[in-house]
Amino acid sequence: ELKFLSGRTKVREHDSRPEWLDLNGDLGFGEGAGFRVALALDTPRYRGFLEFESVQAGGSGTSDHDFSYDEGEFKAGIPYETSVGIYFARLGLTFKRAFVDRPSASFGFMIGLEYPRISLGIDQPGARESTSEQYDQFLPVPIVGLEGELRITSSLTLSGRAFFGYVKDLPTPFTEGGTLVMSVETFTVEAVLTWQATAALRFTLGVGYQRWAGELHSGEDGNQLTFSAPQITIGLELRW
């Protein structure tokens, strides 16, 4: 899986002045490579799925002014290295033929949960400064969407899904200078072409787009991250 990352991040600690950092221009991120593993229980009318997605990216850069991130103070003109780890776990159920029920095509809706965990770090060895902001205090977010499949030939199938989730100012069980409150907007759309090589083995080629925006804030902290990511996936399916 390959994602082309863009977006921005901001961290407020205590009374420090928050500053937005661009993931490309300021932090040097570009492509992120990773993988996705999924298990599915497929029936003619329903599909239950559990999937885990991981993407890692790195970058570098310099700034023309001092800036704060997390509890680190980074100096102008000194190179720094950046890294990000993005993880998503999803659990859901698709009602495959809720809207269209044909031998060569199906179209229905899905419901589920999506759990995000993200870590973004900046390391400036020349100034002996290093910090990493963890976006791991979120709760699973409800998601709803649409999913469809079209059989083009006996061995070639085009499938797709689109889903979104939204929560606003939801208190979490975590505390850091008071109760941490979370807000999340998530949206993903994907299209996958599948070639059936044998009864048990299939190869897939997919394209998609993901947008995610999350915020955690309390009286002491205010962390925000937004990213967009066109993506390409190549994979295989084993069926039994």
Side-chain angles (χ1 to χ4, degrees), residues 17-227:
R17 180 179 64 86
E19 180 173 0
W20 284 103
L21 299 177
D22 186 85
L23 297 186
N24 301 133
D26 295 317
L27 301 183
F29 292 121
E31 302 83 18
F35 66 90
R36 185 186 306 181
V37 178
L39 295 174
L41 178 61
D42 222 349
T43 73
R45 293 195 169 274
Y46 305 100
R47 185 174 73 90
F49 64 89
L50 172 64
E51 62 185 46
F52 174 77
E53 180 180 4
S54 171
V55 174
Q56 310 291 318
S60 61
T62 57
S63 176
D64 60 3
H65 62 282
D66 295 351
F67 67 90
S68 300
Y69 187 78
D70 191 24
E71 295 178 353
E73 298 291 336
F74 296 89
K75 302 301 181 183
I78 301 177
Y80 50 80
E81 302 294 326
T82 58
S83 61
V84 65
I86 300 173
Y87 307 92
F88 284 95
R90 301 182 186 98
L91 172 69
L93 177 66
T94 298
F95 299 83
K96 296 166 57 175
R97 300 182 178 274
F99 305 130
V100 175
D101 184 0
R102 297 178 182 174
S104 61
S106 64
F107 188 62
F109 67 94
M110 60 173 286
I111 57 174
L113 295 171
E114 179 181 78
Y115 173 70
R117 181 169 183 172
I118 300 169
S119 174
L120 195 156
I122 306 175
D123 183 23
Q124 194 176 47
R128 297 183 179 180
E129 190 66 79
S130 179
T131 187
S132 180
E133 184 59 37
Q134 310 294 325
Y135 293 82
D136 58 3
Q137 294 166 306
F138 287 99
L139 301 176
V141 177
I143 55 175
V144 296
L146 300 172
E147 186 170 326
E149 183 176 280
L150 175 65
R151 182 171 293 278
I152 301 172
T153 69
S154 59
S155 60
L156 204 60
T157 302
L158 178 64
S159 60
R161 67 176 184 176
F163 61 85
F164 71 94
Y166 176 82
V167 294
K168 180 68 174 176
D169 294 334
L170 178 67
T172 74
F174 308 104
T175 59
E176 192 171 340
T179 298
L180 280 170
V181 177
M182 70 175 241
S183 297
V184 171
E185 298 177 25
T186 181
F187 172 74
T188 298
V189 58
E190 298 173 323
V192 179
L193 189 64
T194 302
W195 175 58
Q196 182 176 336
T198 70
L201 178 63
R202 305 182 182 199
F203 295 94
T204 64
L205 174 64
V207 295
Y209 173 80
Q210 180 184 20
R211 184 184 185 279
W212 187 86
E215 178 183 5
L216 284 169
H217 65 86
S218 67
E220 176 182 310
D221 298 290
N223 307 341
Q224 293 178 262
L225 172 65
T226 300
F227 72 84

